[in-house]
Amino acid sequence: MNIFVCIKQVPDTETKITPNGDGSYIETSSIKWIMNPYDEFAVEQALLTKAANSGSTVTVVRVGGVKDTEALRTALAMGADDAILVEADDNLDSYMTAKALKGAIEKSGKNPDVIFTGKQAIDDDCLQVPQLLAQMLGMPSVTVVDGCEEAGGKYTLKREIEGGALEVYEVTSPAVIAANKGLNSPRYASLPGIMKAKRKPLAQHSLSDVGVSTDDRRVKYSGFQLPPEKPAGKKFDAMDEAAQAGVVAEVVKLLREEAKVI
Amino acid sequence: MAKVLVFSETSGETVKSVTFEILGKLAGHTVDVAVVGDMGANAAADLAKYGAANVHNLKGANLDQYSPEGYANALKEFIGSNYDYVFAGATSLAKDLMPRLAGMFDAGMASEVTNYVMDGDNFAGTRPLFAGKVLAKVELDGPKPGFITVRPNALGMPEAPTAGAGATNEVAANAGDIKAVIKEIVKGASEKLDLTEANIIVSGGRAMKSAENFKILEDLAEVLGATVGASRAAVDSGYAPHAMQVGQTGKTVAPSLYIACGISGAIQHLAGMRTSKVIVAINTDPDAPIFTKADYGIVGDLFQIVPLLQEELKKVL
């Protein structure tokens, strides 16, 4: 089975984000980069699928602009077999990213049986690439998946919808499956895994190698700015039990008469 | 003037309120609405009241229930070259469907905008990135139509509905080949509105100490008609399921009132709830970062304050 996982490298969730000088993107010089958290569930699911199907390989693909390849090495250290990096700007749009992923997968010469991704990247929060990639490859997609069972190339998938309800899908491979948190518990890379990862094959392509040009840009961003700060609110001390009832009554009154939200 | 279609979800006679928010913001333009599958007569009437020029109801085999491929195939054929922009609320269905549809047209898509202007033929939106840590202007390029999803509660309901013609038109539609089929829908724990659509949210953090203690938040939510959320710390401690998580690796929410109970306010949580219109925070630590974002901060023990709050609200609501 040819298993592919698409991952992205994103700023650590604790990073304070600031716009760059001309507001065309964010300041990236001092950012700590990590594997997109949802992609960790995708990598784990790929490795579980490989373990259940002997003779399978897991190829991890990433499109991105940061020179270091840490997220790919992390996936290789977790147990992926080989990796592909398409070098590109950090702020590609979803269409260009999906087209580059498609190009990279096709260039590998392996026909994908299944492609795992995270449900969204936590930097641009677009939630588009899995569906676009599936559409471009003529495959079905199921997104926001927090349950995945495979038997004989058939997948039973649980997709989270409103109010914690689940849609249960049945789909035959090849398919694109986008992982949600809760799908599994991602493993840590072991020390031998990290050592082995250094010797695993990592192919590198440019965007033009995989058939993507600047004409493929569909979304134009400008004017990156910090959201407006709220003025300081009112704070009440209610540590003393005697004061509590009064404070609560006052806050409820303010919610009704000042904020007018209840 | 741009030709605009709004994709709307309906459940029986109920139209998702985000559709009305979108229609209100498009007042002055000629806007059609498309609904796939069953639609009640009152739903059609409500869409007309809020400005739909035509309500197109796409019907056909395998379109009664959502499937990404079936809905996308049906809408693709209907949209053809008739529209410049296709809008939808950023619901879990539309977030799944719209990118697939955009891919069919090789078109661009702006996800979860929180505001927009239509200047003649041109769309320009505002969207939060990095879970709301920054905002940017977003425009679309490439083949038409452009696809846009709008975050529920971000625009607000239009003050006075502007009636459109609202002629309902039944369209025979084709679901085509469906490879991913829904076998079953498992009901969720909550019958309440999803966090992303909720108007009031009561959230609990690590200080809740247990899953059982979330009962006091549910009781408060009951009085307010609110949905209960949780911080990542509470989810990772097993007090609440991930579906309830608000924050950068959970849901980004925009309610009119957010009540944070025992949440200290990690940067990832603040990012996910900062677009709430009014924030109330309850925490024993007067220096907790959540207080920097709160309109009304109560320094106190949530286990004492929340029941008092519930009693006080019962008196006035």
Side-chain angles (χ1 to χ4, degrees):
Chain A
M1 202 186 260
N2 296 325
I3 303 163
F4 283 81
V5 198
C6 303
I7 65 166
K8 190 172 187 181
Q9 201 160 287
V10 297
D12 190 326
T13 56
E14 288 185 18
T15 309
K16 193 172 181 305
I17 303 289
T18 48
N20 66 4
D22 62 0
S24 60
Y25 194 55
I26 59 159
E27 189 53 57
T28 54
S29 54
S30 58
I31 280 175
K32 183 191 167 204
W33 299 87
I34 57 165
M35 188 193 298
N36 177 43
Y38 291 110
D39 298 349
E40 293 179 14
F41 303 102
V43 172
E44 179 63 32
Q45 201 61 37
L47 296 172
L48 292 172
T49 309
K50 176 188 166 172
N53 293 275
S54 62
S56 299
T57 58
V58 172
T59 303
V60 51
V61 193
R62 175 183 155 234
V63 181
V66 191
K67 286 286 171 258
D68 75 72
T69 52
E70 203 174 302
L72 283 176
R73 290 290 172 200
T74 303
L76 291 171
M78 285 168 76
D81 298 283
D82 60 340
I84 306 169
L85 172 68
V86 180
E87 284 185 74
D89 283 345
D90 283 314
N91 58 349
L92 284 195
D93 68 12
S94 303
Y95 187 86
M96 293 173 94
T97 305
K99 196 171 173 186
L101 289 169
K102 173 183 182 268
I105 289 168
E106 285 173 350
K107 218 175 158 62
S108 75
K110 291 196 275 192
N111 273 330
D113 291 290
V114 61
I115 301 170
F116 291 101
T117 69
K119 71 156 183 173
Q120 78 189 81
I122 61 154
D123 53 357
D124 61 21
D125 293 315
C126 281
L127 219 143
Q128 294 180 25
V129 169
Q131 299 94 313
L132 281 169
L133 177 62
Q135 177 60 30
M136 288 174 183
L137 289 168
M139 291 181 190
S141 57
V142 181
T143 62
V144 202
V145 168
D146 54 17
C148 175
E149 282 170 37
E150 184 266 342
K154 260 196 164 54
Y155 294 82
T156 304
L157 304 165
K158 289 183 182 149
R159 167 179 148 75
E160 188 204 312
I161 54 170
E162 277 99 359
L166 297 167
E167 291 171 343
V168 183
Y169 282 83
E170 212 169 84
V171 60
T172 308
S173 80
V176 176
I177 297 168
N180 191 18
K181 182 175 176 177
L183 176 59
N184 51 44
S185 305
R187 68 195 68 188
Y188 289 101
S190 64
L191 190 59
I194 293 166
M195 298 311 288
K196 263 194 226 163
K198 291 180 179 163
R199 294 188 301 275
K200 288 181 177 173
L202 196 159
Q204 269 179 270
H205 306 306
S206 68
L207 273 180
S208 60
D209 288 343
V210 293
V212 176
S213 76
T214 50
D215 291 345
D216 290 311
R217 185 171 279 282
R218 297 286 183 266
V219 177
K220 292 185 295 183
Y221 283 114
S222 59
F224 278 76
Q225 55 174 301
L226 293 174
E229 283 297 337
K230 278 187 172 186
K234 294 176 181 154
K235 206 152 125 186
F236 303 91
D237 184 353
M239 288 305 283
D240 181 4
E241 236 170 277
Q244 285 167 356
V247 164
V248 167
E250 174 70 10
V251 169
V252 168
K253 186 165 171 254
L254 288 166
L255 287 174
R256 271 181 92 75
E257 291 170 12
E258 186 179 69
K260 296 188 169 67
V261 287
I262 55 169
Chain B
M1 205 160 62
K3 292 171 288 177
V4 180
L5 181 71
V6 178
F7 166 75
S8 174
E9 282 168 71
T10 61
S11 162
E13 299 292 352
T14 314
V15 177
K16 290 239 175 189
S17 59
V18 63
T19 305
F20 300 135
E21 294 184 65
I22 296 169
L23 288 171
K25 190 76 186 168
L26 289 168
H29 296 262
T30 306
V31 182
D32 286 355
V33 172
V35 175
V36 182
D38 277 334
M39 180 179 60
N42 289 344
D46 282 345
L47 288 167
K49 199 163 74 185
Y50 280 90
N54 297 286
V55 181
H56 298 286
N57 190 191
L58 278 59
K59 289 187 147 183
N62 301 322
L63 289 175
D64 291 338
Q65 181 174 263
Y66 174 67
S67 68
E69 295 149 294
Y71 269 42
N73 287 333
L75 283 162
K76 184 202 172 194
E77 203 178 330
F78 173 72
I79 293 163
S81 57
N82 301 320
Y83 294 99
D84 299 315
Y85 294 100
V86 180
F87 285 77
T91 61
S92 62
L93 187 159
K95 284 195 279 192
D96 187 50
L97 169 69
M98 293 280 275
R100 189 145 196 123
L101 202 47
M104 287 174 160
F105 287 91
D106 281 325
M109 172 171 168
S111 297
E112 287 203 58
V113 300
T114 51
N115 203 354
Y116 58 86
V117 285
M118 291 286 292
D119 181 10
D121 274 358
N122 289 320
F123 160 86
T126 305
R127 74 175 296 259
L129 290 99
F130 300 88
K133 290 176 187 170
V134 287
L135 302 175
K137 180 181 176 184
V138 58
E139 292 165 288
L140 298 173
D141 208 351
K144 293 261 165 130
F147 290 82
I148 298 131
T149 56
V150 179
R151 180 173 294 168
N153 298 334
L155 301 173
M157 285 292 275
E159 277 183 16
T162 44
T168 308
N169 167 33
E170 204 163 293
V171 180
N174 192 348
D177 187 19
I178 302 173
K179 288 181 242 171
V181 185
I182 298 180
K183 288 289 168 197
E184 186 192 352
I185 294 175
V186 183
K187 278 203 164 183
S190 159
E191 297 293 305
K192 298 269 169 52
L193 274 179
D194 194 63
L195 286 167
T196 55
E197 295 175 49
N199 194 39
I200 303 179
I201 293 171
V202 178
S203 257
R206 198 199 307 269
M208 294 306 298
K209 295 195 187 117
S210 75
E212 292 70 39
N213 286 339
F214 267 74
K215 176 79 169 64
I216 65 166
L217 301 190
E218 280 156 23
D219 292 344
L220 174 60
E222 194 63 44
V223 179
L224 284 162
T227 301
V228 178
S231 71
R232 177 182 170 164
V235 171
D236 286 355
S237 305
Y239 306 161
H242 176 245
M244 281 168 60
Q245 187 178 324
V246 172
Q248 197 167 7
T249 52
K251 286 170 178 160
T252 307
V253 298
S256 58
L257 174 60
Y258 189 89
I259 305 178
C261 308
I263 293 176
S264 62
I267 185 171
Q268 301 94 328
H269 190 79
L270 297 179
M273 48 69 86
R274 66 173 301 149
T275 47
S276 306
K277 282 176 200 78
V278 175
I279 296 164
V280 174
I282 304 163
N283 204 299
T284 49
D285 174 8
D287 299 321
I290 190 80
F291 286 125
T292 65
K293 297 285 176 276
D295 297 272
Y296 306 109
I298 302 174
V299 182
D301 181 353
L302 75 95
F303 293 103
Q304 293 168 338
I305 302 296
V306 170
L308 284 173
L309 196 52
Q310 187 194 335
E311 286 312 310
E312 189 65 27
L313 285 164
K314 259 193 199 158
K315 283 187 223 162
V316 297
L317 292 178

